[in-house]
Structures are given as structure tokens and as C-alpha cells.
Amino acid sequence: MDDLASALAPPPQSPPIPGGKSGTYRYYSPLDHRDHVVGYTRLETHPWTVVVDLPEAQFLAPLQRLGSVAWGSVGVVGVMTLVVSILLVRGITRPIRRLTDAAIAVEHGQPFEPADIADVTSGRDEIAHLGRVFSGMVLALRRREERIEHLNLVLRAIRSVNQLITREKDRDRLLQGACDDLIETRGYYNAWIALLDEHRGLVTSAEAGLGEEFLPLVEQLKRGELTACGQRALRQSGVVAIADPPSTCADCPLADKCGGKGAMTVRLEYGGKVYGLMSVSIPADFIADEEEQALFKEVAEDIAFALHGIELEEARKRAEKALQQYAERLRTLRAIDGAILAAWSPEEVAQTALRHIRQLVPCQQANVMMFDREGQEATVLTAHTNGKTRVGTGARLPLEKIGLLEELRQGKVHVEEDVLALAQPSPMTQALQAEGLRSHLAVPLIVRGELIGVLALGAESPGAFAPDHVDIAREVADQIAVGLHQARLRAALEAEEQRLETLVKHLPEGVLLLDGERRILLANPVVESYLLVLTGAAGPSVSRVGNVLTYLADWPLEELVQSTPEGLWRELEVAGPPQRLFGVAAKPVRTETQIEGWVLLIWDVTHEREVERRTQQQERLAAVGQLAGGIAHDFNNLLTTIMLYAQMLLRKPHLPPDMAPSLETIINESRGATQLVQRILDFSRRSIMDTRPVDLISFTEGTVDILRRTLPENIRLFIEMRTGEYIVNADPTRIQQVLMNLAVNARDAMPEGGELRIGLSRVKVRPGEEPPVAEMPAGEWVCLAISDTGTGMSPEVVSHLYEPFFTTKPVGKGTGLGLAQVYGIVQQHDGHIGVETQVGRGTTFRIYLPAQRVVEAEEGLQEEALATPEGEGETILLVEDEEKVREGGQKILESLGYRVLTAADGREALEVYGAEVDLVITDMVMPEMGGRELVRQLRKANPHLKALAITGYALPEDVQELREEGILDIVQKPFEVSTLAEVIRRVLDAG
């Protein structure tokens, strides 16, 4: 209509130009860029001017065509066109006729009047104006034809799209088909659709008519960068129409593609949800057409509706699939539940779970691991790799190598989309990479807040585990955790039952469970052996389950269980031989209303009573020994003084003859007293021990040779030795004393003669094994046995056997110190002694000494020197706190040819000591400073100091230890002058 209004505007005034064909006129008028008006031509000299040079019939031809076009139109537009055509025809006829008349007049030579000229001019102007009107009308109608044709093409495209919508249920094919249909009818030059998510990120796209030129826009959309038209379309519901995209959309990669064309963009929206954008390119003349925009928006709404339908269908299918999967999941979980309940071991639980979980979660590797918090290890129970399942692999790995402990403890599921994308892979992920796995899923196994293990799944493709898979894995992991916990509880219960059974079976005491009728419900092996003794039964049937127990020893069972206060026990005695003592404790098994049974605990206290007896005996002996030891020390000092002065008198050259026998008697009696004191010291374990490796074979043979010469002929002596080594660490003198004392006792027990057997054997006591003598530890022992066939001893005598001064011999026949001395010597050698005796059958003593593994051992005692060695004027420092002993010792040493210095204690000795001293003889126990400390102090000044000790006490140190500290030898009080002289000479002559 704008073109038609322009054509009807008043024409500008232009002067006529003479010339033209016969019967025509020419009139020049600007056409305002209207190039295609029917019947007009363009002059080269006036490029923007048209010439009217037509007959009337030819001039009216366009009007006839205009009428045809008008009648071809329909509706309101066709009626308006017809009316305007009639008015134009009537308006143009009159001025053309005037011009024609003027032309005829000129042709016949008729002159013009001024009025005629004005009339012709007016006609000319009207014709020019009508020409413009005709031109505008023709142009408008042609554009209307083009618009109608374009709208028909668009409608055909919309129809194709709607047909596509009804049959296509695939989203991507729908979008691509819609783009293809929109340009197929050539209603649009090109078209593209982009689906966006809620964050305006690109989901998918389709295009038609663009080809590779569309790719830059796709990349831009992937980055979340929308074009200007796209941003406007998302903000408004209407169509965004752009007439000149190159100048308006500089940021759009398709702007140049739309040069000379217009573009329309609209959002795809249905039900308040925006699915994305759709854009097309059309002729620029139609860009502002409201009907054009309405049709474009309509097709966008149809596509959005189709997307909504597809979305609903997909949702329905997803829901249906999810329902099916959920049903399958429930079936699988129920199967796992049943299988786990039927499984008894953790390995079975893990195997069952892995077999079923592979049906729901795609994976190429799966394993179940249990954690050991104390051992800080993870144990693989079951592993599945590429279709193969290994049960109970036993593979262990440190917990720190798993790398997810803290996350798993918090109950979090760890999902690794792609282990190859990790910048710093852990040892576990490195192992996954080595096995060709890309995805990893780790689900914690938690029971009561405690992390007990992990379910690990692996897949060869990245991103293999969807959220549904994670949910399934979590549910299965919960079931596995419960199953493992139950299996662990069952295993613990079974282990507890096994431990309880083992405990009852291996208890050192007997356990007996009775019901209310006193029937046996449970009896362990120990009580079975005890019942044989307590009931006097002949076979094991007495302890058989179901048997009724009526009595134990001399006690009726009913009285025993009823009369014994709870928490206390009774001691039952079974007469021998041998005598046996048993402790019995009874505890009722109660319910809320009654006693349903009894538990009896029975143990053998025979050995315990024997140990108590021995302990009491040892304590008694220790008390006596302590007293005897103290007395012996004082006796030693007195005897030392007596013997020194007696021997000193014997050494005088002018001794009266009648005095010598008296002095010899004094000395001999003192020696007897010395032996008695030595026995007391041996019993009190205070003798000085000079231990060394001793081979008891040669040593015993030597002692036996002595015994053969001293024992009566009516006593036959036998040696019984098994093959082997019999080396002990002992003091030969003391061991010889043991053999002599026992041999003398055996002789006295066989006044009519008999047999005396001395034997050697090795005994090995293993840990937990009952030793032959109470309190004897495990180890290798050498057993020295002395047996006789004498009168034997009663139990009463045995109970006092080792007490000092206890004897069964007549008065004057024994001191009662022989066996006490033997006991003390054995104890001092860390040994044990046992006795087996029966009245009228004889006695056997067995001495157990710790076995040694030494190749070279002492074979016997050294022979004593025959002559008393003299001194050569050496200086001796004598340190002794007893004045009488010190004075006597000084005189004896001087009589032997030594120069003597004396000191009363260690401190005084430090003051007296000088460089001229060749030997220090010191008592060991003195006030102020003892002998050992004195030697230490003197050796600081003189590392080459020579010293020997004299003492009446037993020393806590071994002789070898004292020698290492500089005390070269020890002389026991009281001593012979010859013994002292020999030791002094040996020490002085030593290098």
C-alpha cells in the first residue's frame, strides 16, 4: 500500500519536449528508481527519465493485465484492487483523449491557443502522474504475489514439519528433519536449531543449508557463548527479526552468510520450559511481516511441543526401564540376601555378591576386601577379573596403599571417571592402569559405624559407572557388610566354641557338668582320669555322658555338693599306695526359680601338697642354715687362732718332747671341728665354691676306687653308666663330699651287707612336662643316682631327711649333718635332689645337675704338695679385723721367712700399703672397707697387684669372678699352715 500511495502523489511540473512519432507525444519525467514499469523505456541522455510514446490501445494493455492480476487475488485485497483499477481507468481516459485531440490538431496544422497549451500541459501532467500510479500499483501487486508465493512455501514447510512431528519420535532425527523441511520448499534459505540445558549449555544441534559454516557457531555455543539474537530470543517470547545481520550481529559466525537476507530467531518453548533456539534466514523484504513472524513462531511452538512429547516418551521409557531395572535389582538383592544368609564364611559372602552384582553393574573387575585394623592390612576375599572368579586369594596389601581410607571411613563412595586423567595417581590407581582399567568405583563396607572393608569395581572404559550403578553398588555393599559381619560373628562364635571346647578339654583341672538328677552332661579328659581314682571304677565308662554319679572318694555326691559352701572347696583323700589328694569345688547352675544342675571342678593337689611340704622344709632348713652359718663363721675364727698357735708351737725347734703330742691332739681335734663347721657351711650354702667343668664319668670312677678301699667287703659296688657326655659345672671337692656322704649312709643302712649302685644318665625336661623333682625347670640335666638295698626309710623320716642334726643312728654314730650337707651342696650347684625309698626295700637318691657342653673338663682333684714352701724375704701386707687371727697370722708368716705388715681394715691398709709390698693377704668381710673394695683401690695405684683372700664366710661371688678382679686365690678359714704357705708361694711365683 505504501507503493500505491506514492504512485498517486501529485506529479512534478516538467516542460514538454517536442518530437516523437506520428500520433504520439513524448513526455520526460523522473521515475524515482522505478525500473520495470510496463510500457516505459529509459533514454541514454536522461537516465532517470521515462518517455511516453504509445498509442492509446497499447497504453491500455497494462491496465488490462492489472485487472487480470486483481481478479486473480481473493478476499479483501482482490476487491480493493478491482475498485482502484476502475478509478484509474476512468481517470486516465480524459487526459489521453485531450492529448490525442491536440496531436491531431497539430498534425492538421491547426494552431494552439494558450488555453489549449494549458490543457495539453495539464493532460501531460496527469498522464505522468497516472504512469507513476500504474507503476506503483504494478510493483505492489508483484510484491504481493511474491509474498503470497513465499507464504505458500512457508506453509508447505510447516505442513512437512507437522507431518514429521507426527511420525518421528527420535529427538535428533526430528531436529534434523525439521531443518531440512524448512529449507526444502525454499521458504527459508537456511535453518538451524540448538537445544540448550538449564545452564544454557549446548545439548545438541541441527542445521540445513549451512554446512561447515555452522561449525564455528556450534563451538561458540559449546562454550556457552550465545549470539546477540539468541540472547534476545531467550529473554522474550516473540520472534527476534533482524533485517541486516552483518551490521547488527557482528559476533555471530553466520552474519556474513546472511548478507542481503533477513534472519528470524525464536526460542523453542512449551509449558514454560525453554528447550532451545531456532533460527532461519529469509528475504529481507519479508522480515517485518507479522504474518511471517507468526508462522515462524507457530512452527517453533510445534517443534517445542514435539520435543515435549519426545521428552515425555523418553521419560516414560526411562521410568519403565527404571522400573524394570528396579524390579531386577530387587530380585538380585533378594537373591544376594538369601545367598548371604546361606553363606558361612566371608569368602562365600563375597563370591555370592560378586556373582550377582555383575548382572546389574557393568564391570570387568570386581573384588571384596576385608580390613584388619590391628594388622593394618587388607585381605582380598574374592576377586573377579575378565570372567574369572578367584575365591579366597589370601592376597594382602598394606592399608596405606589403598589411599582412600579417610574417604571410606566417612561413608563416601569414591568414583574415578578416568584413572588416566589423574595428575598424581595413587599406588592403587597405578595398579588399575597397569590392568587396563579406566573407571573405578570403591564403596565402603560399614557395619555399626566401623569400616570393615571395601567393594571395588573396575571398568575398561572411562565414565562407565552411572549414578544408578553407584546406588546399586552401595546397596550391595551394605548387604555384603552385613553378611561379612554375620560371617565374622559366626566365625567368632565357632572360634569361641572351639576355644571353649579346647579350654575345657585342655584344662589342667577336671570339669564335670551334671544335671539336676546328677547325670553327667559333660566331662573333660582330665576329670575322666580323676573319676577312675575317685570312684574306684575299672573302666572309662564311669565318665560316660548320661551316667549317674553317686559318690566321690568316701563322700556321697549329694552330701558333697550340698554341704560345700559356694566359693569354697573340699579336699578329698584317696588312700594309696600311692596316696592321692583332690580338691573339689561345686557350683550350682541356677535359673530364676531352681537349681538345674551342678558344675564340679576337680583338681589333683597331691603335688601341690608335696610342694608345700618341701617349701616348708626348705624354709625350715634355710632358717637353721642361716643360724648355723653365723655360728660357723665365729667358730672358724676361733679355730683359726687355735690351729695357728698350735702349729706355730710345733714349729719351735726346742719344743719339750712331752708337749708335741698334746699339740698334735689340739690340731687334730681342731681339724675335726673344721670338718664339722664345713658341713654346717655346706648345709647353709655358704661354702666357697671353686666351680669348673667336671667330667662325672672319670670323676665318679675315681671316687668309686676310693670307696672300694673303704667300704666293707660284704657291700658289692656297681657302676651303671649310659653312653653319652656327663659334664657339669661343679666344685670337684664338694661333689666328692656328696658321693662320700651318700655312700656312708648307704653303708650304715646295710649292716648285713648288700648292693650299692652308682649310676649316670641324662634327663631332658621339656616345657610343660612334669619334672622328676618339683620346681625343676625345663632343660638338659645329668642325673647322678646312688641306690642301696638297705633298710629304707618311712615317710616320717623322709619329711625330716635334710634337717641338720636329724639322725636315726644311735647316739655317737652320727652328727645328723651328712644329708644336710649333701642338700646344701646340691642346692649351691643349682641342682635338685630326690629320694625314693621304701621300708625294707632300700633307698635311691637322685641328684640332678645342669648339663654342660664342654669338651675339656677336670678329671679329678689335684694332689696336695708334700713339703711346706718357705718365703724368700718378700713383704706381705696382712689385713684382718680379728686381732688374734691377725697376730697369729703375722707370726706364722714371719716364721715362714716373710716380712709382714699388718692392718685392721681396708682403710688402714690403704695407708700402710707401699711399693715394697709384694703380696696382699686380706680378709673379705671387714668393717669400714671389705677386702674386695680394698683390692679395687690398690689396683688403681698398682695394676699388677698380687692379692689373695682368707675368709670364714661363703662368698656371693664365684671364685673366677674374684680372680678377674685381681684376687688370685682364696683360703678358707681355718687353714693349715702348709696350705697357706703353698698358696702364698704359688701366687708370688706366678707371672
Side-chain angles (χ1 to χ4, degrees), residues 688-725:
I688 295 176
M689 301 292 295
D690 186 9
T691 59
R692 66 197 71 175
V694 176
D695 185 354
L696 289 183
I697 294 179
S698 58
F699 182 84
T700 303
E701 289 174 346
T703 304
V704 167
D705 289 340
I706 298 174
L707 291 174
R708 290 186 189 279
R709 296 192 299 267
T710 58
L711 292 175
E713 294 182 358
N714 60 352
I715 295 178
R716 296 181 299 279
L717 188 59
F718 299 94
I719 299 178
E720 298 174 347
M721 298 183 186
R722 298 178 183 176
T723 305
E725 291 184 349

Side-chain angles (χ1 to χ4, degrees), residues 414-453:
H414 179 81
V415 181
E416 200 65 64
E417 297 291 343
D418 190 353
V419 296
L420 295 181
L422 295 176
Q424 295 180 342
S426 65
M428 184 179 65
T429 53
Q430 290 177 352
L432 294 173
Q433 293 177 6
E435 294 178 6
L437 300 175
R438 298 286 296 274
S439 302
H440 180 243
L441 174 63
V443 188
L445 307 179
I446 297 178
V447 176
R448 296 181 180 178
E450 177 189 357
L451 178 67
I452 65 171

Side-chain angles (χ1 to χ4, degrees), residues 784-798:
L784 176 61
I786 299 93
S787 302
D788 65 60
T789 57
T791 58
M793 294 177 286
S794 67
E796 178 63 23
V797 172
V798 172

Side-chain angles (χ1 to χ4, degrees), residues 92-345:
I92 201 173
T93 302
R94 183 172 54 83
I96 290 177
R97 285 180 178 174
R98 286 202 302 270
L99 289 175
T100 302
D101 291 342
I104 293 174
V106 172
E107 187 178 358
H108 290 80
Q110 295 178 0
F112 274 105
E113 296 295 330
D116 295 331
I117 294 175
D119 193 22
V120 172
T121 302
S122 176
R124 178 205 63 190
D125 294 338
E126 289 182 10
I127 291 173
H129 174 67
L130 290 175
R132 288 195 297 273
V133 172
F134 292 159
S135 176
M137 289 181 64
V138 172
L139 182 60
L141 291 176
R142 178 165 292 179
R143 288 181 176 174
R144 179 62 60 181
E145 286 180 348
E146 294 175 355
R147 175 176 174 275
I148 292 172
E149 182 180 0
H150 175 71
L151 290 177
N152 287 331
L153 295 176
V154 170
L155 288 173
R156 286 173 55 194
I158 292 174
R159 183 179 62 185
S160 298
V161 170
N162 287 333
Q163 292 175 350
L164 176 68
I165 288 173
T166 59
R167 68 174 185 272
E168 186 57 70
K169 302 303 179 184
D170 181 79
R171 183 195 64 186
D172 294 336
R173 289 199 297 267
L174 171 67
L175 298 180
Q176 186 60 53
C179 291
D180 293 338
D181 287 346
L182 289 176
I183 71 168
E184 184 178 3
T185 61
R186 300 189 179 181
Y188 300 111
Y189 296 121
N190 55 62
W192 60 267
I193 298 174
L195 296 189
L196 307 175
D197 57 22
E198 60 272 15
H199 303 293
R200 296 189 178 182
L202 181 65
V203 176
T204 187
S205 62
E207 60 82 23
L210 294 172
E212 293 184 357
E213 295 178 349
F214 182 60
L215 297 180
L217 178 59
V218 173
E219 295 300 322
Q220 181 175 326
L221 293 175
K222 288 181 179 179
R223 296 192 299 269
E225 301 174 2
L226 298 178
T227 60
C229 62
Q231 295 178 14
R232 287 177 56 192
L234 292 178
R235 289 195 299 266
Q236 66 185 48
S237 61
V239 177
V240 177
I242 300 175
D244 188 14
S247 62
T248 305
C249 304
D251 63 335
C252 180
L254 300 179
D256 294 338
K257 181 71 174 179
C258 296
K261 309 178 186 66
M264 292 189 300
T265 304
V266 69
R267 67 189 187 192
L268 302 175
E269 180 181 12
Y270 180 82
K273 179 179 180 180
V274 176
Y275 291 90
L277 298 170
M278 183 172 70
S279 182
V280 296
S281 176
I282 63 172
D285 292 341
F286 307 134
I287 196 66
D289 191 290
E290 294 181 358
E291 188 174 0
E292 184 76 35
Q293 294 182 12
L295 290 175
F296 181 59
K297 182 173 178 57
E298 181 181 346
V299 73
E301 291 174 348
D302 292 342
I303 294 175
F305 175 76
L307 291 174
H308 176 69
I310 292 175
E311 188 178 65
L312 291 178
E313 180 64 18
E314 290 178 350
R316 185 192 65 79
K317 290 182 178 179
R318 285 195 303 270
E320 183 178 347
K321 183 178 179 181
L323 186 60
Q324 294 175 351
Q325 291 177 345
Y326 187 71
E328 179 64 26
R329 182 194 305 184
L330 289 178
R331 285 194 295 270
T332 303
L333 293 178
R334 282 198 301 270
I336 294 176
D337 276 339
I340 286 177
L341 291 175
W344 282 89
S345 69

Side-chain angles (χ1 to χ4, degrees), residues 238-562:
V239 177
V240 177
I242 300 175
D244 188 14
S247 62
T248 305
C249 304
D251 63 335
C252 180
L254 300 179
D256 294 338
K257 181 71 174 179
C258 296
K261 309 178 186 66
M264 292 189 300
T265 304
V266 69
R267 67 189 187 192
L268 302 175
E269 180 181 12
Y270 180 82
K273 179 179 180 180
V274 176
Y275 291 90
L277 298 170
M278 183 172 70
S279 182
V280 296
S281 176
I282 63 172
D285 292 341
F286 307 134
I287 196 66
D289 191 290
E290 294 181 358
E291 188 174 0
E292 184 76 35
Q293 294 182 12
L295 290 175
F296 181 59
K297 182 173 178 57
E298 181 181 346
V299 73
E301 291 174 348
D302 292 342
I303 294 175
F305 175 76
L307 291 174
H308 176 69
I310 292 175
E311 188 178 65
L312 291 178
E313 180 64 18
E314 290 178 350
R316 185 192 65 79
K317 290 182 178 179
R318 285 195 303 270
E320 183 178 347
K321 183 178 179 181
L323 186 60
Q324 294 175 351
Q325 291 177 345
Y326 187 71
E328 179 64 26
R329 182 194 305 184
L330 289 178
R331 285 194 295 270
T332 303
L333 293 178
R334 282 198 301 270
I336 294 176
D337 276 339
I340 286 177
L341 291 175
W344 282 89
S345 69
E347 290 77 12
E348 289 182 42
V349 171
Q351 180 185 12
T352 300
L354 293 188
R355 184 173 64 249
H356 288 86
I357 196 173
R358 297 196 306 272
Q359 301 173 9
L360 300 175
V361 180
C363 58
Q364 284 72 49
Q365 186 190 73
N367 61 67
V368 176
M369 291 183 284
M370 281 192 72
F371 294 161
D372 179 7
R373 292 183 301 173
E374 295 180 359
Q376 291 297 303
E377 289 183 327
T379 303
V380 179
L381 298 178
T382 302
H384 173 83
T385 305
N386 294 324
K388 296 182 179 179
T389 301
R390 293 172 296 160
V391 181
T393 64
R396 297 178 177 270
L397 65 155
L399 288 182
E400 62 268 14
K401 286 192 175 182
I402 296 180
L404 304 172
L405 284 183
E406 190 58 36
E407 188 175 351
L408 295 175
R409 285 193 184 100
Q410 297 174 4
K412 297 180 180 178
V413 177
H414 179 81
V415 181
E416 200 65 64
E417 297 291 343
D418 190 353
V419 296
L420 295 181
L422 295 176
Q424 295 180 342
S426 65
M428 184 179 65
T429 53
Q430 290 177 352
L432 294 173
Q433 293 177 6
E435 294 178 6
L437 300 175
R438 298 286 296 274
S439 302
H440 180 243
L441 174 63
V443 188
L445 307 179
I446 297 178
V447 176
R448 296 181 180 178
E450 177 189 357
L451 178 67
I452 65 171
V454 64
L455 167 64
L457 306 177
E460 296 175 351
S461 59
F465 301 115
D468 286 348
H469 298 148
V470 175
D471 293 340
I472 293 172
R474 183 186 289 276
E475 292 178 2
V476 174
D478 290 342
Q479 291 179 307
I480 294 174
V482 172
L484 292 179
H485 181 63
Q486 291 177 342
R488 191 162 61 176
L489 289 179
R490 282 194 295 266
L493 181 59
E494 290 179 354
E496 188 66 26
E497 292 176 350
Q498 184 64 35
R499 282 194 296 268
L500 182 60
E501 182 180 350
T502 303
L503 175 64
V504 173
K505 184 177 181 180
H506 293 88
L507 275 176
E509 291 82 15
V511 177
L512 191 64
L513 179 61
L514 307 175
D515 64 10
E517 302 298 326
R518 310 300 184 258
R519 283 189 294 267
I520 297 175
L521 300 179
L522 181 147
N524 69 343
V526 174
V527 85
E528 292 176 0
S529 63
Y530 289 171
L531 288 179
L532 293 176
V533 178
L534 287 168
T535 61
S541 60
V542 65
S543 59
R544 185 176 301 160
V545 174
N547 283 357
V548 178
L549 193 63
T550 57
Y551 66 92
L552 292 176
D554 296 331
W555 284 78
L557 187 64
E558 189 69 26
E559 182 180 349
L560 182 65
V561 297
Q562 295 293 344

